[in-house]
Amino acid sequence: MSEAKLRAGLVGLGSMGRHHCRVLSELDGVELVAVVDPMGDKFGIARGVPVLDSVEQLVALGVDYTVVACPTALHEEVGLQLAEAGVHALVEKPVADTVEGARRLVEAFESRGLVAGVGHIERYNPALQSLRARLEAGELGEVFQVVTRRQGPFPHRIADVGVVKDLATHDIDLTAWATGKPYASVSAHTVSKSGRPHEDMVAAVGQLTDGTMVSHLVNWLSPLKERFTSVTGERGCFIADTLTADLTFHSNAAVATEWEALQAFRGVAEGDMIRYAIPKREPLLVEHEFFRDAVLGRSHEISTLRQGLRTVEVAAAVLESAATGDTVRLDTADDAVPSGA
């Protein structure tokens, strides 16, 4: 006999929720039972699945797990309702809009032995998965620096948080996850130019616990859309473009450049450049597959709530540094090496 399907729910049919709805509707081994959105199915994408007004109505239908894709300010309230009902949950990033809220969610799910994850989708980008595997294999040798740039036009769907919590949390999470090292300190500057109460641009530098330098430039004020991650180490540099899911390696090879005019620009040694051919599956689908398997007890390779809490703590430190002008040091006493896909 075939295995019974997991019964899944979804909270929120906004920009990200619509994508979750599509994937859940087609995910092997899963039945999308109902969706919660007080605004209804404005875009007509629920595919005949009931659209409810409240989380209570969803829980009453009996669901194994639920994806939380409502506005960030509501993550804590919805998550606590699901935990109280004994429902596993995949919460969109950031896990909550405050550190305290994130801690309450961690306690609520962990104390009940429930599976709970955070939708840090960049972990499932093919380029970054390949990059992480190569770093773990030691292909770069000692890692010196991680640099990210995440720039693009203003996303009008975002109203309740600034660019640090909405976008920079991607880079904070992927940096700690890819290197396997948590943040030790951060220093940042922000600006707000759109007339909203939140920041629109951040430039942050920091250090991981092993001494690796990090640098993040994030904004939603640019007409140029860029998703760039560079990891430099003793054997060269990996560059990941997560828009195209391409990963390139620039090696440090001892091939002398004899053309004197070029030495000033390229240095005295120039290595090979390789663009890797890697399988490219949709990151959101892969994220859902990992979470489904975690609920079934087959895999633990998800972005956990506790890791999501750590990302919120680093984001809060970035905002604190920008407000005070000081470098903020993070408590690393309880940090473990991040795991995941």
Side-chain angles (χ1 to χ4, degrees), residues 72 99 187 193 247 295 321 335:
T72 303
V99 172
S187 178
K193 296 294 185 181
L247 179 65
V295 172
S321 174
D335 276 312

Side-chain angles (χ1 to χ4, degrees), residues 305-319:
L305 280 196
R306 189 163 290 278
Q307 292 167 10
L309 163 61
R310 180 60 177 178
T311 297
V312 172
E313 289 175 337
V314 176
V318 167
L319 292 172

Side-chain angles (χ1 to χ4, degrees), residues 84-334:
E84 180 67 26
V87 177
H88 308 294
L90 174 61
V91 184
E92 259 304 331
K93 64 84 205 164
V95 62
D97 59 350
T98 66
V99 172
E100 295 75 19
R103 287 176 181 155
R104 286 189 287 268
L105 284 173
V106 169
E107 170 61 23
F109 282 93
E110 287 188 350
S111 65
R112 293 171 172 84
L114 296 169
V115 177
V118 188
H120 282 295
I121 194 171
E122 289 286 44
R123 291 192 181 199
Y124 306 94
N125 187 286
L128 293 178
Q129 287 202 324
S130 180
L131 167 61
R132 182 176 188 255
R134 294 176 185 280
L135 291 179
E136 287 184 329
E139 293 184 19
L140 199 59
E142 182 185 355
V143 175
F144 302 149
Q145 183 182 50
V146 180
V147 174
T148 70
R149 297 195 302 270
R150 187 174 298 270
Q151 306 180 88
F154 176 71
H156 294 283
R157 61 184 174 83
I158 301 298
D160 56 345
V161 294
V163 74
V164 171
K165 292 181 180 178
D166 182 62
L167 291 183
T169 47
H170 280 302
D171 299 297
I172 293 167
D173 179 76
L174 75 85
T175 298
W177 168 75
T179 61
K181 301 296 180 183
Y183 284 71
S185 64
V186 289
S187 178
H189 295 281
T190 60
V191 297
S192 180
K193 296 294 185 181
S194 65
R196 300 166 67 254
H198 304 292
E199 75 287 348
D200 301 312
M201 176 181 288
V202 60
V205 296
Q207 192 171 48
L208 305 182
T209 54
D210 65 344
T212 299
M213 297 171 56
V214 298
S215 172
H216 305 306
L217 178 62
V218 188
N219 77 72
W220 50 36
L221 298 177
S222 171
L224 165 69
K225 188 168 184 178
E226 183 180 33
R227 301 289 184 267
F228 172 94
T229 300
S230 171
V231 182
T232 302
E234 62 180 325
R235 296 176 185 166
C237 176
F238 285 118
I239 295 177
D241 183 336
T242 53
L243 288 176
T244 61
D246 287 329
L247 179 65
T248 305
F249 177 57
H250 298 256
S251 70
N252 291 336
V255 177
T257 300
E258 298 181 7
W259 187 359
E260 184 176 352
L262 286 182
Q263 289 182 9
F265 300 100
R266 295 190 176 180
V268 296
E270 186 176 6
D272 296 325
M273 182 181 72
I274 303 170
R275 184 170 68 84
Y276 297 106
I278 52 180
K280 296 181 180 180
R281 302 182 67 222
E282 182 186 2
L284 187 62
L285 173 59
V286 177
E287 178 181 69
H288 273 275
E289 289 174 345
F290 273 110
F291 191 78
R292 173 201 62 197
D293 291 348
V295 172
L296 291 170
R298 298 172 181 169
S299 171
H300 300 287
E301 298 190 28
I302 62 172
S303 174
T304 67
L305 280 196
R306 189 163 290 278
Q307 292 167 10
L309 163 61
R310 180 60 177 178
T311 297
V312 172
E313 289 175 337
V314 176
V318 167
L319 292 172
E320 179 185 344
S321 174
T324 64
D326 298 327
T327 296
V328 177
R329 302 197 176 279
L330 292 121
D331 181 10
T332 59
D334 297 325

